[in-house]
Every structure is written in structure tokens, then in C-alpha cells.
Amino acid sequence: MATSGLGVDVRHAIVVGDSIWDLLAARRAAALGVGLLSGGYGRDELERAGAYRVYADPADLLAHLDEIGVRQQETWTEAD
């Protein structure tokens, strides 16, 4: 997986995918794979392919970012 343009070692990346092929590629690259059920694969299939966690859809993933080690920054406005 090409992460060199991002300046991040792939071992520190999180790959989000909705197919077993996405998760197999993440595992092969030594990245953390997170699965989404939106691609037609079941939870068991995605977990067997290497998903660390599986979520229903992107909104579900966003609600659980803390489970994969991503902290959400507080939002602020110029008035703050």
C-alpha cells in the first residue's frame, strides 16, 4: 500500500474497507484493517480476512473511533 506520499509508515495506518480483499491487502501490508458491512460481506468473513473491528457503515465507524485508537478532536469556532 502506498503511504509514502502521506509521510506515514503503513504499519501506523488504518485501512478501512468493505471487502475481504481490502482487509487481506491491509494485513499483507501490516496495516490495521477495519471492516464495514456495506460491501455485502458478513462480519465473520471480514474478521476472518483480518478485520480488527467491523462496523455497520461509516457513521457507525465514526461513532466508535475511540475503539481503534483515533481520538476525535473537539470542534471549535472562531468565537471560541
Side-chain angles (χ1 to χ4, degrees), residues 1 14 16 21 24 26 28-29 34 37 39 46-47 52 55 59-62 64 66 73:
M1 301 191 138
I14 298 172
V16 178
W21 310 112
L24 290 171
R28 185 178 310 132
V34 174
L37 294 173
L46 296 173
E47 288 174 346
Y52 173 69
Y55 299 99
D60 188 27
L61 168 60
L62 182 62
H64 295 95
D66 59 314
Q73 293 183 352

Side-chain angles (χ1 to χ4, degrees), residues 14-28 31-37 41-56 61 67-68:
I14 298 172
V15 174
V16 178
D18 63 1
S19 76
I20 59 173
W21 310 112
D22 298 332
L23 297 165
L24 290 171
R27 183 167 36 172
R28 185 178 310 132
L32 182 69
V34 174
L36 299 178
L37 294 173
Y41 291 92
R43 179 177 303 276
D44 290 344
E45 293 171 298
L46 296 173
E47 288 174 346
R48 278 195 307 269
Y52 173 69
R53 294 275 195 270
V54 177
Y55 299 99
L61 168 60
E67 293 178 357
I68 58 173

Side-chain angles (χ1 to χ4, degrees), residues 1-10:
M1 301 191 138
T3 57
S4 59
L6 299 173
V8 175
D9 186 316
V10 71

